[in-house]
């Protein structure tokens, strides 16, 4: 008899495979491990770090050669972590203290991961999993524990957390899906799975233990359902959906070069969110029309010093060139006091998520902000670039930003350095304050980009990572929709374009009503582009506006979602 377990959709699709449990404890192996002297254990640790580092570098080269740049970037971040002095020093100190290399590695990883997991910032919380991943990988090497053996049958990786490196090193034709107990849809494991379109279901929590190792499982990634040991009737009932899934993949491939255009001629620009320059090149296969969000903070992370203007310039130039004449929107550093960047020297804060971060640091630290502005302006000569500043809440901040941009231009002019004089300057609208003030802010900026991830959290006072309240997080909540509509209208009234770069932009149903509100650009994870494009191409603007009028009359996010699913 089959068992059905409900989870949350991370990546849609229908998959069948054999379960491989991947996060079993190493405690038993450590308990039976016979350590040598402290010197011998330090030598084993050093050898393990060198070997794992070489393995990661080799994997990165293979991924880049295969065009898997997003996976390569994540694994490269693992390599940086292995070289991080704080982490490596802690491992060595623990090895001297415990005289047990694998126990030392796991202890150091646990302590480091706990520090990250308790931070307010979502990005840093999710990096705790990367630290666990590296720690377990190094410990397994010292213990001699074998990795996953892949046979002829497709497998489904299953665990409370699944290590990104495990996903990255399994061939596409052997990996059918990923099932996780934790609920994040933005962790590195999910990002790697998304870049390969691997069906992924998360949020099973304690029920992950109800899925035995080696079991046959059917994953309904469209409904978030895991069916353990499905019956023949259940398998047969999904055959049609699996055939439709294959047809959908071919249909999306055929649409790659088509515009996101309604049946009556309204065009919306679909762009990609990227973290590193190579992501812009990788997005091309999905039919993106430029970059709507380049998260420049990735260039600042994993370093001991501020990245130089030249280093930033080369990264921005590479991304702009990859956009091939389309706009590349570069978000200035979105880093806060909760992130462990040694060169910021920011005192601990009780609530860093609402504290000294993003534009507040940029305006207060010209030695950080000015080189970034100069680098973007210089790189802009190689295509079309835009500067986008996060977490703005006031007119005074916008005026200060514009003053610093003018100062950067003046410096470059005086130095005789070439720079783009037509770089647009815009802001992210991701707080209720900014959304309410958009009629005034629109007079000063070239564009708005709505960051729904934070806008929803701040408007609804909901931490979407907290499982106790995450169900309240809803970008269709009427309060959120009203702020979004106000922002778009303010832009339209002032002749400024308005885009969106939060997760809502990748929702095909949301795309229809956003288009009706007047949005002109939607930026998202590249694999989401085909689905959004298909939805836009299936309706007319007249139909979209009729749906919008109905949606804005509804009283709850649930009603909005039900209406859109029923009518679109």
């Amino acid at each position: 008899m089959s068992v059905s377990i409900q989870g949350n959709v991370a990546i849609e699709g229908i998959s069948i495979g054999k379960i491989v449990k991947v996060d079993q404890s190493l405690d038993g192996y450590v308990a039976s491990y016979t350590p040598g002297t402290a010197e011998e254990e330090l030598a084993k640790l050093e050898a393990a770090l060198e070997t794992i580092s070489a393995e990661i570098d080799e994997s990165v080269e293979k991924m880049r050669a295969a065009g898997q740049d997003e996976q390569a970037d994540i694994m490269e971040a693992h390599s940086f972590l292995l070289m991080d002095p704080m982490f490596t020093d802690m491992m060595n100190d623990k090895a001297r203290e415990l005289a047990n290399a694998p126990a030392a590695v796991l202890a150091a990883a646990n302590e480091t991961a706990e520090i990250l997991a308790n931070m307010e910032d979502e990005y840093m919380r999710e990096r705790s999993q990367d630290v666990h991943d590296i720690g377990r990988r190094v410990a397994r090497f010292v213990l001699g524990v074998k990795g996953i053996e892949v046979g002829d049958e497709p497998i489904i990786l299953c665990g409370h957390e699944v290590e990104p490196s495990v996903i990255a090193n399994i061939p596409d034709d052997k990996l059918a899906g990923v099932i996780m107990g934790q609920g994040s849809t933005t962790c590195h494991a999910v990002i790697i799975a998304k870049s390969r379109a691997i069906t992924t279901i998360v949020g099973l929590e304690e029920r992950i233990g109800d899925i035995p190792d080696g079991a046959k499982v059917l994953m309904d990634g469209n409904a978030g359902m895991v069916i353990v040991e499905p019956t023949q009737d259940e398998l047969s009932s999904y055959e049609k959906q699996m055939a439709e899934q294959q047809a959908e993949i071919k249909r999306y491939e055929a649409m790659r070069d088509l515009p996101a255009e309604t049946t009556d001629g309204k065009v919306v620009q679909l762009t990609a969110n990227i973290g590193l320059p190579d992501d812009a090149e990788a997005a091309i296969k999905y039919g993106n029309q430029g970059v709507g969000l380049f998260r420049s903070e990735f260039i600042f992370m994993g370093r001991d010093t501020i990245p130089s203007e030249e280093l930033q310039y080369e990264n921005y130039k590479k991304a702009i060139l990859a956009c091939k004449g389309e706009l590349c929107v570069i978000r200035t550093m979105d880093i806060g006091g909760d992130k462990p960047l040694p060169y910021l020297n920011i005192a601990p804060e009780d609530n860093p998520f609402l504290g000294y971060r993003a534009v507040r640091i940029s305006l207060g630290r010209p030695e950080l902000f000015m080189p970034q502005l100069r680098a973007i302006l210089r790189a802009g000569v190689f295509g079309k670039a835009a500067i986008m500043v996060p977490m703005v809440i006031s007119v005074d901040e916008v005026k200060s930003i514009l003053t610093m941009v003018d100062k950067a231009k003046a410096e470059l002019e005086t130095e005789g350095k070439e720079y783009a004089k037509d770089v647009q300057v815009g802001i992210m609208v991701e707080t209720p304050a900014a959304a309410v003030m958009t009629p005034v802010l629109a007079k000063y900026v070239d564009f708005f980009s709505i960051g729904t991830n934070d806008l929803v959290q701040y408007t609804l006072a909901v931490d979407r990572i907290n499982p106790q309240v995450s169900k309240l997080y809803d970008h269709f909540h009427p309060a959120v929709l009203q702020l979004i509509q106000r922002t778009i209208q303010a832009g339209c009234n002032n002749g400024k374009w308005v885009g969106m770069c939060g997760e809502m932009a990748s929702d095909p149903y949301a795309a229809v009503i956003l288009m009706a509100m007047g949005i002109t650009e939607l930026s998202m994870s590249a694999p989401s582009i085909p689905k959004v494009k298909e939805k836009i191409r299936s309706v007319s603007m007249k139909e979209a506006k009729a749906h919008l009028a109905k949606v804005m009359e509804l009283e709850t996010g649930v009603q909005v979602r039900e209406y859109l699913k029923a009518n679109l």
Side-chain angles (χ1 to χ4, degrees):
M1 182 177 177
S2 65
V3 175
S4 296
I5 304 172
Q6 184 66 55
N8 301 321
V9 178
I11 304 170
E12 296 179 346
I14 309 295
S15 298
I16 300 172
K18 182 182 72 172
I19 289 293
V20 174
K21 300 299 280 280
V22 295
D23 65 351
Q24 291 100 329
S25 172
L26 293 174
D27 291 349
Y29 293 99
V30 174
S32 60
Y33 173 75
T34 303
T37 64
E39 290 73 18
E40 289 172 339
E41 294 303 294
L42 284 167
K44 290 178 186 177
L45 176 57
E46 182 180 356
L49 293 174
E50 289 180 359
T51 301
I52 299 301
S53 180
E55 288 179 354
I56 292 175
D57 291 343
E58 183 180 354
S59 296
V60 168
E61 288 183 14
K62 289 181 179 178
M63 290 170 187
R64 296 238 185 261
Q68 299 169 340
D69 290 309
E70 192 165 22
Q71 295 180 64
D73 291 337
I74 290 173
M75 296 313 301
E76 206 161 47
H78 282 204
S79 181
F80 293 149
L81 273 173
L82 269 181
M83 294 184 290
D84 185 285
M86 183 181 75
F87 189 30
T88 54
D89 286 351
M90 187 182 293
M91 284 191 282
N92 282 309
D93 289 345
K94 292 287 184 183
R96 293 187 187 94
E97 175 189 341
L98 302 174
N100 185 314
V105 170
L106 294 173
N110 287 338
E111 286 188 22
T112 305
E114 185 176 1
I115 293 171
L116 297 176
N118 288 325
M119 290 181 175
E120 292 288 339
D121 182 75
E122 177 188 342
Y123 176 86
M124 297 310 296
R125 286 201 303 264
E126 290 173 353
R127 297 299 70 78
S128 65
Q129 183 180 336
D130 294 333
V131 175
H132 278 306
D133 184 348
I134 294 169
R136 286 193 288 258
R137 186 168 180 176
V138 174
R140 280 198 298 265
F141 179 86
V142 177
L143 292 166
V145 178
K146 292 184 178 180
I148 293 174
E149 296 182 359
V150 179
D152 296 330
E153 185 178 357
I155 64 172
I156 294 174
L157 300 176
C158 179
H160 182 72
E161 293 182 354
V162 176
E163 299 166 15
S165 61
V166 175
I167 300 173
N169 287 299
I170 296 177
D172 287 355
D173 61 338
K174 299 298 183 184
L175 184 54
V178 176
I179 300 172
M180 291 194 285
Q182 64 91 15
S184 172
T185 60
T186 56
C187 64
H188 273 167
V190 174
I191 291 173
I192 287 182
K194 183 177 286 187
S195 70
R196 296 167 62 182
I198 298 167
T199 305
T200 302
I201 297 175
V202 301
L204 275 68
E205 298 182 348
E206 71 278 356
R207 294 216 64 186
I208 202 79
D210 296 339
I211 306 175
D213 194 27
K216 184 174 184 178
V217 162
L218 188 153
M219 294 177 64
D220 182 347
N222 302 322
M225 184 67 69
V226 175
I227 304 175
V228 183
E229 298 295 355
T231 65
Q232 188 56 50
D233 287 343
E234 286 171 327
L235 290 171
S236 298
S237 70
Y238 276 91
E239 287 179 356
K240 182 180 179 181
Q241 289 188 51
M242 295 182 74
E244 290 173 348
Q245 180 175 285
Q246 292 303 311
E248 181 181 80
I249 292 172
K250 293 181 180 179
R251 191 169 70 250
Y252 288 160
E253 289 175 349
M255 285 197 310
R256 188 186 71 175
D257 298 324
L258 297 176
E261 183 177 9
T262 64
T263 57
D264 51 0
K266 171 66 177 179
V267 176
V268 179
Q269 186 175 13
L270 302 185
T271 59
N273 294 343
I274 68 170
L276 292 168
D278 288 330
D279 296 345
E281 190 71 37
I284 293 173
K285 66 181 179 181
Y286 296 102
N288 72 305
Q289 299 171 291
V291 167
L293 170 61
F294 180 170
R295 300 182 177 94
S296 69
E297 56 269 18
F298 280 67
I299 300 172
F300 287 76
M301 293 177 178
R303 305 176 53 83
D304 294 324
T305 58
I306 301 171
S308 68
E309 178 183 323
E310 288 303 315
L311 176 63
Q312 293 187 63
Y313 163 72
E314 291 296 336
N315 277 272
Y316 304 147
K317 172 184 172 182
K318 187 175 183 179
I320 291 168
L321 286 170
C323 288
K324 303 184 186 303
E326 298 285 1
L327 186 63
C328 181
V329 179
I330 301 169
R331 182 175 71 185
T332 57
M333 182 184 68
D334 189 4
I335 286 177
D338 56 320
K339 295 184 174 72
L341 300 185
Y343 50 81
L344 289 183
N345 296 316
I346 296 174
E349 299 175 326
D350 290 337
N351 195 345
F353 208 53
L354 301 177
Y356 190 47
R357 57 171 294 204
V359 67
R360 298 162 186 177
I361 293 178
S362 294
L363 293 179
R365 303 281 292 271
E367 74 277 13
L368 287 171
F369 199 35
M370 288 300 290
Q372 181 164 40
L373 294 177
R374 288 167 53 98
I376 297 172
L377 291 169
R378 290 173 57 201
V381 301
F382 295 94
K384 293 175 63 178
I387 296 168
M388 180 167 70
V389 184
M391 287 299 293
V392 170
I393 62 170
S394 71
V395 170
D396 287 339
E397 287 174 334
V398 172
K399 289 181 177 179
S400 296
I401 292 163
L402 296 176
T403 297
M404 294 190 75
V405 171
D406 287 341
K407 182 180 178 182
K409 289 180 179 179
E411 288 181 359
L412 293 171
E413 191 77 40
T414 300
E415 295 168 13
K417 291 183 178 179
E418 190 177 7
Y419 69 95
K421 297 177 175 60
D422 59 349
V423 172
Q424 298 180 51
V425 180
I427 63 169
M428 288 188 71
V429 177
E430 49 189 337
T431 66
V436 170
M437 287 295 293
T438 48
V440 179
L441 296 171
K443 300 175 184 178
Y444 298 93
V445 300
D446 296 314
F447 66 93
F448 294 134
S449 185
I450 304 169
T452 54
N453 295 1
D454 273 340
L455 182 61
V456 175
Q457 292 191 110
Y458 289 135
T459 302
L460 304 182
V462 170
D463 179 359
R464 62 196 176 116
I465 304 301
N466 184 336
Q468 292 181 302
V469 297
S470 59
K471 64 181 179 182
L472 301 175
Y473 179 94
D474 186 359
H475 56 237
F476 285 128
H477 189 289
V480 176
L481 293 180
Q482 289 184 38
L483 290 176
I484 290 172
Q485 187 174 45
R486 178 183 179 86
T487 298
I488 296 172
Q489 191 61 54
C492 292
N493 290 345
N494 287 273
K496 309 297 170 66
W497 67 269
V498 182
M500 178 178 288
C501 57
E503 280 299 309
M504 186 178 183
S506 64
D507 184 330
Y509 297 115
V512 174
I513 61 171
L514 292 168
M515 178 178 65
M517 288 180 181
I519 209 158
T520 56
E521 181 251 19
L522 295 170
S523 189
M524 65 203 75
S525 174
S528 299
I529 291 174
K531 289 186 178 182
V532 174
K533 181 186 292 186
E534 183 177 54
K535 185 62 68 177
I536 290 173
R537 290 178 61 85
S538 71
V539 299
S540 67
M541 179 58 81
K542 181 179 179 180
E543 292 169 335
K545 287 184 175 180
H547 291 310
L548 173 63
K550 180 63 177 177
V551 160
M552 297 308 288
E553 294 174 355
L554 300 176
E555 297 178 346
T556 71
V558 172
Q559 291 175 347
V560 172
R561 198 176 298 275
E562 289 177 348
Y563 171 83
L564 292 173
K565 286 188 175 181
N567 291 277
L568 292 173

